[in-house]
Amino acid sequence: MGSMKHNVKKLPLFLTQKDVENLTRNIRKDKHKLGLLLMSYGGLRVSEMCSLKISDIHLQRGFMKIHGKGGKERIVPLNATLQKMIESYLSKYSYHLNPESYLIGGARNSWHYVVKKYAEQNLGRTDIHCHTLRHSFATTLYEEGVQIERISQLLGHSKLDTTMVYAHISLEQKRDAV
């Protein structure tokens, strides 16, 4: 009967900027807050965030070097929120960090738990995952008129097709708004 539906790709969920602010607002654990911001404002995969080292962060020049899938490296600019948060985090914890230390580290699955916990606590939602934060980053960029090729670079996608889904999300939203 409803066989038409099968080829429709489910669009990834994402949070608006306001949602991200609410999600991260009253997180007391600095490490947790920074982790969520790195995924939301840097578009990092959870694995990339866990393996991010102090030496990958270039505060003076406002970017971080990400070691992505398949050994690919990319440069991701730090937005103002992220820049401030990393600066204060480092000034607080740098006494036990060296250039080869992980900025945050942690196990991937524990981060999934962290995101679920705060999403439920601060947004009352149970459908938010680490990857949702990455999608939110991409969708926001797309809506701000950033070229899809550029978003693709920032996310470290090897194929543009992977990034094109964000154009579809945005379209769906506009359709809902009408």
Side-chain angles (χ1 to χ4, degrees):
M1 283 280 151
S3 61
M4 282 300 289
K5 274 278 192 270
H6 286 303
N7 59 1
V8 178
K9 239 176 135 179
K10 209 165 135 8
L11 293 174
L13 282 170
F14 66 96
L15 299 174
T16 63
Q17 286 307 96
K18 195 93 206 98
D19 291 333
V20 171
E21 284 163 26
N22 291 333
L23 172 67
T24 55
R25 183 168 291 136
N26 8 359
I27 296 179
R28 279 198 287 284
K29 262 193 169 163
D30 294 335
K31 187 176 266 199
H32 288 172
K33 185 167 192 159
L34 181 52
L36 267 58
L37 289 176
L38 281 165
M39 291 185 280
S40 304
Y41 292 143
L44 272 59
R45 297 177 176 101
V46 66
S47 55
E48 294 168 343
M49 181 194 67
C50 294
S51 61
L52 189 66
K53 292 183 173 169
I54 301 292
S55 58
D56 294 325
I57 293 175
H58 301 269
L59 284 174
Q60 313 75 12
R61 294 168 66 197
F63 72 84
M64 48 189 169
K65 190 187 274 181
I66 306 302
H67 305 276
K69 272 185 177 172
K72 289 198 310 260
E73 276 189 0
R74 68 183 189 275
I75 298 292
V76 174
L78 298 168
N79 78 354
T81 308
L82 211 42
Q83 177 97 19
K84 272 213 299 279
M85 182 71 199
I86 294 173
E87 280 169 5
S88 73
Y89 184 85
L90 288 177
S91 66
K92 209 163 163 183
Y93 300 104
S94 62
Y95 65 91
H96 66 106
L97 297 168
N98 66 60
E100 284 311 292
S101 308
Y102 291 121
L103 178 66
I104 306 190
R108 283 167 70 160
N109 53 2
S110 63
W111 279 105
H112 291 295
Y113 169 75
V114 167
V115 169
K116 277 193 109 42
K117 180 180 106 171
Y118 292 115
E120 214 163 315
Q121 191 177 294
N122 297 342
L123 300 175
R125 292 180 62 171
T126 54
D127 56 351
I128 306 301
H129 310 276
C130 291
H131 222 70
T132 315
L133 304 181
R134 179 169 154 87
H135 290 311
S136 307
F137 167 76
T139 305
T140 298
L141 291 177
Y142 187 80
E143 293 188 329
E144 285 171 1
V146 177
Q147 283 188 319
I148 202 92
E149 292 79 6
R150 181 78 186 107
I151 298 172
S152 188
Q153 289 167 353
L154 291 170
L155 291 173
H157 285 160
S158 50
K159 294 200 300 294
L160 198 56
D161 294 358
T162 318
T163 321
M164 284 309 288
V165 69
Y166 298 106
H168 300 305
I169 293 178
S170 192
L171 198 68
E172 286 290 303
Q173 258 200 301
K174 291 191 180 90
R175 215 174 274 143
D176 291 347
V178 171

